[in-house]
Amino acid sequence: MPEAHPTDATGLSAAQAAALLRAEGYNELPRAGRRTPLRIVLEVLREPMLALLLGGGVLYLLLGSMGEALILIGFTLFTITITVVQESRTERVLEALRDLTSPRALVIRDGRRQRIAGREVVRGDLVVLAEGDRIAADARLVEARDMQTDESLLTGESVPVRKHAHQAGAVPAAMRPGGDDLPWVYSGTLLVRGSGLAEVTATGPRSEIGRIGQSLNALEVEPPRLQAQMRRLVRSCALFGAAVSLLAVVLYGTLRGGWLEALLAGIAIGMSMLPEELPVVLTVFMAMGAWRISKARVLTRRAAAIETLGSATVLCTDKTGTLTQNRMKVAELRLPDGTAFRPQDNAASAMPDRFRHLVDTGRLASAPEPFDPMEQAFHALAETHCAEPKPAAADLLRSYGLRPELLAMTNVWRAGASGGAMLVTAKGAPEAIAALCRLDEAGRAGLLAMAGQLAGDGMRVLGVARTTLAAEAMPDSQAGFAFGLLGLVGLADPLRPGVTEAVGECRSAGIRVVMITGDYPATAAAIARQAGMVVTDIVGGEDLAAMDDAALAIRARTATVFARIMPEQKLRIVTALKADGEVVAMTGDGVNDAPSLKAAHIGIAMGGRGTDVAREASSLVLLDDDFGSIVTAVRLGRRVFDNLRKAMGFIVAIHIPIAGLALLPLIFGLPVLFGPMHIAFLEMVIDPVCTLVFEAETEEKGIMQRPPRDPAAPLFSASLVWWSVLQGLVALGLVAGLFVVALNRGMPETEARALTFFALVLSIVGMIFVNRSFSASIITAFRWRNMALRWVLLVVTVMLAATLLVPLAQRMFRFGPLHLDDIAITVAVGLLTIGILEALKPHWRDRLTA
């Protein structure tokens, strides 16, 4: 490996840089392992459900049923397209990371400064840093002048951290983002104050942001549980249907002697028992669920998240940018005598003069064009409440920067109206301002006590002081001025509107809210309490690092706040919660959140202020950054699952009379009732259309007051299976009875077939009405608005009329003419189905809604 030692301030030579670039690669994340759309398609086609759809389409083609074949194949292509689009978008995660890690950089090579692409920076380069620069690589500071960097990209915390140069001979500090007075800067972060010179120590995948990218790429997204359940159900039904079909062929061929007819009858029975519409229904529900959730300004990137929303038991939320707005505001002003003023609580009233004086001094102690979020907060408040014009950079005569030994900064301004005197303003840590103002012990203790009260409320506290200086030489340090104390300023990252209400709704829905933040415990606990969380146990990053996975899993059961947490520790927390059986939703917006977002069952990213990396790693994206939208998404997720159970139960129920009517004629020697065309009509037209009715149904009463659904619970509970079987047997008994009576009364076979088919379709419609709600009666549910139901009734009516009135359809279905009294009988069968099932439903209601 080539050496990377710059020669004093001359930097690397061009030859050294070229050798390092060849040996270590560009300063970007590798592209290895990228999944192409073709590879994704091949993975999708291995899914059993998709194979069943394609197989059904091929079978219809072999039978010459082009329309049904096209419907199945069309659904298959639709599913593949959706999957490819969604999976391809997740592959853009590394692209987003690569963009973040390749800004332009000013380096020293061969003794001269040159501007190069960030991807060409190599280990050992000397990088010149100036205020406003995006840092191109991880580096150790050789020189630092009043430097502060915004590392929220990596830590999630909006408050900048101070930097100082590495001291020769000193033991190097741990290279971790976050924390003040460290000599390290990191790729992708922003220099908000000062300037310096840094020696690059890591590039590309070896940088801090690169390691996050690699861990993100290595994580596997957990397969959807509902899809796995559906796969097992389809496989079981397919095996059972194949066995019954084979038995039917043998029976028919043995007893009746027509093996070709036996094969056709076996195909019809197999089609009646194969639940090939189940994957179609699941696809429709997930697609429609994503559309409904998008109306609540939540983008669904992975359909599996919709099914998991109703099972979420823990919501892990970042603080900065998620619960809070990720921008500092002046929350409280305190004068030396303890008088307080809260700008937000007094927005409509004028600010008293003494407080205006405090705010304007704080602005004058800041940079004229600030990058620092706290200095931006001073400027914003001053522009609202202070009459003084914004200071011009040309009037700034001298600045004294922050130093490790004195955490304060001072600006000296030209004050033309003061007869040549200069205005001196200072702000900084309360203890530093107390020292500059030369307070006695009692004054210092009082000031620090007030600062402690503000800090206990989750605020960052700065002291502000002011003095004037005659036109004479300025002192060498800030301590040379005779400052007078003006007061304290408490700054906070305010909560987002609606957060408290959203947290309360999560709690009522049985979802535990846990804060995971890089901020200090006191600040995190204060914000958590403001958000309505019950703070019972706080775990610090150092404590967590000392725990093994088993101890962490136990502590995670009771912890409400995790503070001073590093990115890999967030991932450990999510993993521990998952291992303990929790269904974890995780919110976040920074690069540091991306691994835990991807590892969680439901990753929820902020779409407005969030990074591309967080959005691409997530399952859901809040387009308006509204924390309350999470509750809306959970509500809709529960509704989707409830309605999906209704639809699946309905499908199982109607398969019983369809399969029974196809099988009974073979057993009892009656004329064959249904052929493949009839089954195709029922399953590929009636079923998918009817499922739209259930998808559009309104939510059940008290949907957000019940505990989360057990994710291990089967889609088909025993009570739902038996309720479906009962419905199917009732419909089968009524329709089969009608068929037998019609034949016994001498009705021609074609007319009996039409009569039975009409009665079956109307019984199916009756079961739609019965299954609209598990908790409400049909009379109550009938008042619920459902446009899809109206369209279904219209479509069914038109289709049934076409089979009777269109000669071609009559011949295809082998139907004879029906009279008005025959149609009245079929309607009566449908109404009788509703009546019997409604009388039975109250006995199953508690078990179905449990």
Side-chain angles (χ1 to χ4, degrees), residues 178-384:
D180 290 314
D181 301 324
L182 297 176
W184 307 106
V185 291
Y186 301 94
S187 176
T189 60
L190 183 67
L191 184 60
V192 298
R193 174 183 291 281
S195 60
L197 184 67
E199 179 185 350
V200 174
T201 57
T203 61
R206 294 165 293 278
S207 65
E208 190 70 22
I209 196 172
R211 283 193 290 270
I212 293 175
Q214 287 184 311
S215 67
L216 180 64
N217 193 39
L219 288 174
E220 292 292 334
V221 179
E222 186 163 317
R225 302 183 187 212
L226 186 57
Q227 191 179 70
Q229 291 184 28
M230 186 72 70
R231 188 179 302 150
R232 290 193 296 269
L233 176 65
V234 170
R235 186 183 300 116
S236 301
C237 291
L239 292 174
F240 180 71
V244 174
S245 298
L246 182 60
L247 178 62
V249 171
V250 173
L251 286 175
Y252 193 104
T254 303
L255 298 176
R256 301 194 182 190
W259 287 100
L260 179 60
E261 291 80 4
L263 183 59
L264 290 174
I267 291 174
I269 292 172
M271 291 172 58
S272 70
M273 302 189 74
L274 288 175
E276 67 268 15
E277 68 270 39
L278 287 180
V280 176
V281 171
L282 180 60
T283 299
V284 169
F285 266 74
M286 294 301 104
M288 292 298 293
W291 174 73
R292 292 190 185 280
I293 291 177
S294 72
K295 294 174 70 176
R297 302 286 295 162
V298 179
L299 173 66
T300 303
R301 297 196 60 258
R302 294 190 183 94
I306 299 173
E307 72 181 62
T308 315
L309 276 169
S311 302
T313 59
V314 174
L315 173 57
C316 296
T317 175
D318 190 25
K319 177 182 72 68
T320 306
T322 305
L323 293 177
T324 65
Q325 299 177 20
N326 196 23
R327 58 190 181 94
M328 302 299 289
K329 285 187 175 180
V330 175
E332 185 169 332
L333 303 170
R334 286 275 186 100
L335 299 179
D337 61 5
T339 308
F341 182 85
R342 287 182 171 262
Q344 188 173 357
D345 297 341
N346 299 274
S349 59
M351 182 182 290
D353 289 342
R354 292 178 69 192
F355 292 105
R356 266 206 313 271
H357 193 50
L358 173 61
V359 171
D360 190 54
T361 301
R363 175 172 64 172
L364 290 169
S366 305
E369 300 292 338
F371 286 91
D372 187 325
M374 291 192 287
E375 294 191 343
Q376 290 174 347
F378 274 109
H379 278 260
L381 186 62
E383 289 170 6
T384 304

